[in-house]
Structure formats: structure tokens, C-alpha cells
Amino acid sequence: MSQDPNKLVLTTNRSGWVWVVLLAVVGVASAWDAAARGFGGLAVTVVVWMACIGWFVALIFVLPSLSMDAGGATVRNVLVQVRVPWARLKDARNTMFLEVVPDKGLPIKVWAAPQSVMRRKRQSLRNRAAMDVDVAEDPAPKGDLAAGLIVERDRALSAARKKPATTAGAVTTTFLKRDWGIFAGLLVLALVSLLLT
């Protein structure tokens, strides 16, 4: 994966942070209360369980993202991270999720992409039903990530004509072993903490 300092994160789910912060506040308050009442083992159990649940929520809702740099786009979903070099990016399209389509293989759904396209289509259908006339769709709405990704691909490829190796390479898929290993470790600690209380 490219370690470009100019990496730009295009999409991420900010509402997931609300759940992580809420879990942290509830966990700290519960652990503090248990410790104040003289139940230190229970306080440790609460902290470990809240850390486990908080990390799981972060894996599902906070960490998935779409980012890009000079070499290509990186899609980070719940289980895997896929690096698509610009030379291998065939298309990007808006469906229920933003899809990044490499030149070979299946489309990659970006779980962190906003679903405004679906909202816009539903609203358009409501408008048509209410007025019983055709409603013109805006072909390139503001915030169209698919179109923006294609524009960035074209810019990077034209800038890299002198050095095509910067945008070339294979599409790589990496399982998020470290992140899920942390969750597995926290889960084991949480289960052990139940046995110790």
C-alpha cells in the first residue's frame, strides 16, 4: 500500500464515533461506580467488555473508508482493505453503495460511502408520484463520489505519463488481521474476566 503523505480520506462514517464515545462514557461511569462500591473485579470486567464492544463498533462503523493518493484508491471495508491503482480502475458508480470497479474482478462496494444516491432516487420517485410527471434528474449532483473518483484517476494517469510505475500495479486485497486480532484478544479478555468475577 502506498504511504503517500498526501493521502485524502474521501468517506468515513462519523456517526459511528457517537456510539464509540457513548460506550466509553457508559463504561467509565459503570466501572467508576463499581469500583466506588468496592467491586474492583466487576469494574475491570465492565471496562474490558466496553472496550471489546467499542472496538467492534469502531470496526463496523468508524474504520471503513475510501481514500485516495497519487497512486490509487484504497477501499477499507469491515473485513478487507483493497488497493486499486489508478491504472487498474475501470469505473466507479453509484448504486446503494459507491462501487469501485477494477479492470479485472468484481466491483468493490465502499461501505462507508454515503447513500445519498438512494435518498435522491427515492425522493425523485416521490416527486414523480406526487406530480405525475417526469422529474429531470441532475446527472452530476454535488458530492458525486463516483464521478470525482474517475476525475482523479484521469488526472493521476495524465500526470504519470512520464512515470507510469507510480499508478501501475496489481489490485491487492488484504485481510485486516491486526484489527480483528485486537478484537479477538479483547473478546478473550472479556470472557476470562467473566470467569474471574
Side-chain angles (χ1 to χ4, degrees):
M1 183 172 131
S2 174
Q3 298 297 327
D4 190 352
N6 297 323
K7 182 175 169 179
L8 175 66
V9 177
L10 296 176
T11 62
T12 189
N13 187 347
R14 291 179 180 89
S15 64
W17 283 109
V18 173
W19 290 106
V20 171
V21 169
L22 184 63
L23 283 169
V25 167
V26 168
V28 168
S30 299
W32 184 275
D33 182 55
R37 294 173 191 251
F39 298 104
L42 182 61
V44 171
T45 300
V46 167
V47 167
V48 172
W49 273 100
M50 286 299 174
C52 182
I53 295 169
W55 186 251
F56 184 73
V57 168
L59 282 173
I60 302 296
F61 296 111
V62 176
L63 296 177
S65 64
L66 170 65
S67 59
M68 65 180 194
D69 55 33
T74 303
V75 177
R76 180 190 167 105
N77 284 332
V78 173
L79 295 175
V80 295
Q81 178 170 303
V82 182
R83 172 77 176 161
V84 182
W86 291 127
R88 299 288 175 251
L89 181 64
K90 177 181 170 185
D91 193 17
R93 57 185 177 226
N94 289 319
T95 58
M96 184 168 177
F97 296 98
L98 174 70
E99 288 184 346
V100 175
V101 184
D103 58 356
K104 295 177 184 169
L106 296 172
I108 304 150
K109 291 183 181 357
V110 181
W111 290 20
Q115 298 176 10
S116 60
V117 173
M118 294 307 290
R119 281 194 300 270
R120 190 172 53 252
K121 287 183 180 177
R122 283 193 299 264
Q123 185 60 44
S124 175
L125 289 174
R126 285 188 204 111
N127 290 343
R128 287 181 189 160
M131 299 183 327
D132 200 29
V133 296
D134 287 335
V135 176
E137 292 278 341
D138 184 5
K142 290 181 181 177
D144 185 0
L145 290 173
L149 204 59
I150 296 300
V151 167
E152 289 302 318
R153 176 203 61 188
D154 294 343
R155 283 183 189 163
L157 289 177
S158 67
R161 288 190 184 175
K162 294 179 183 173
K163 292 182 181 180
T166 59
T167 59
V171 175
T172 56
T173 302
T174 309
F175 179 71
L176 301 173
K177 293 179 278 203
R178 182 191 57 166
D179 297 340
W180 284 100
I182 291 171
F183 174 72
L186 286 170
L187 186 60
V188 167
L189 280 174
L191 293 173
V192 167
S193 72
L194 284 178
L195 296 174
L196 298 177
T197 54

